Amino acid sequence: MKKVGLIGFGRFGEVLYNLLKKDFSVLVYDSMEIKNDAVNFSSLNEVLDCLIIFIATPISTFKECVKEISINKLYNTTIIDVCSVKVYPVRIMEEYLQKNVGIIASHPHFGPDSFSPFRELKITLYPVRDLYNRYDVLKDFFEKQSIRTINITPDEHDKMAASSQGITHFIGRVLEEFGIRSTEINTLGFAELLSVVEQTCNDSWDLFRDLQKYNPYTNEMIDNLVDKISNLHSQIKNDAN
């Protein structure tokens, strides 16, 4: 069985581990002391001996992680990120990883609370620097798991993500701050809105902040959203007068 390395064993790292172990022997490293009887953790050096290595650390620590592994001599190695934004991690990998290291950008469009074999699952995969032809290997693996692969550039991804994932998390947090609560007369639409709040707010504040901070198109999205809310509010007030 082929080996793959996994750096980072947080909530999503565990999801990725359980997915990858279906076809691979997965070596896991995490800088924190995590107790999990089902996983035999490896040293960083052992993980870096793998030819395919996934980095599943938070976006805010991604740069330091890449810088740390870049000082090692990596041979025939391909690094794959799983960040929810793409322009930023690709820039970091291209800047710090040696020219002989392959780079594939990925964004699994599912998480600890949304992963299910009974749902339509998708993953963005883009061969930034596929020196060792690992893109097709990963594409075939994910599609074998009934996960549809989408090939778009990092810039295209972040534009789309700002108006989809970004706005979903932003609205979910706004409604949570507002104090939205279930009632005895919930409509179906309101129940679905509550589920959005529950799902987005179950993720950490750090993840929410990183989604907003590291996507170059998020600020524009939020400004447009706030502007539209203000305009709609003004129309309602004017109609009432």
Side-chain angles (χ1 to χ4, degrees), residues 99-142:
K99 299 299 182 184
N100 66 309
V101 177
I103 298 172
I104 295 177
S106 85
H107 174 202
H109 299 278
F110 50 86
D113 301 313
S114 59
F115 177 79
S116 168
F118 305 107
R119 292 181 175 177
E120 180 189 9
L121 301 177
K122 296 175 287 187
I123 183 171
T124 293
L125 281 178
Y126 188 76
V128 178
R129 197 163 73 197
D130 190 21
L131 302 175
Y132 308 108
N133 301 314
R134 306 262 165 68
Y135 175 83
D136 287 338
V137 173
L138 294 174
K139 182 176 184 292
D140 290 344
F141 166 74
F142 285 114

Side-chain angles (χ1 to χ4, degrees), residues 32-147:
M32 305 292 288
E33 293 185 4
I34 297 175
K35 293 183 178 179
N36 190 312
D37 295 335
V39 180
N40 292 319
F41 288 92
S42 303
S43 69
L44 180 59
N45 286 337
E46 289 172 323
V47 169
L48 294 181
D49 281 338
C50 296
L51 301 183
I52 296 176
I53 302 170
F54 287 84
I55 300 179
T57 61
I59 303 172
S60 58
T61 63
F62 184 79
K63 180 177 179 180
E64 291 306 312
C65 178
V66 172
K67 289 174 66 176
E68 181 179 3
I69 69 175
S70 68
I71 64 176
N72 295 269
K73 293 187 180 299
L74 304 174
Y75 298 101
N76 199 20
T77 307
T78 298
I79 303 294
I80 304 105
D81 83 286
V82 294
C83 294
S84 299
V85 297
K86 293 272 62 75
V87 171
Y88 173 77
V90 166
R91 176 170 59 81
I92 294 300
M93 289 188 289
E94 288 182 320
E95 180 177 354
Y96 290 101
L97 294 176
Q98 302 159 21
K99 299 299 182 184
N100 66 309
V101 177
I103 298 172
I104 295 177
S106 85
H107 174 202
H109 299 278
F110 50 86
D113 301 313
S114 59
F115 177 79
S116 168
F118 305 107
R119 292 181 175 177
E120 180 189 9
L121 301 177
K122 296 175 287 187
I123 183 171
T124 293
L125 281 178
Y126 188 76
V128 178
R129 197 163 73 197
D130 190 21
L131 302 175
Y132 308 108
N133 301 314
R134 306 262 165 68
Y135 175 83
D136 287 338
V137 173
L138 294 174
K139 182 176 184 292
D140 290 344
F141 166 74
F142 285 114
E143 292 190 347
K144 180 182 174 182
Q145 310 302 321
S146 298
I147 300 174

Side-chain angles (χ1 to χ4, degrees), residues 15-33:
V15 172
L16 186 58
Y17 168 80
N18 288 324
L19 189 61
L20 291 171
K21 73 177 184 179
K22 295 179 180 180
D23 265 23
F24 299 98
S25 173
V26 188
L27 277 63
V28 182
Y29 168 77
D30 195 287
S31 59
M32 305 292 288
E33 293 185 4

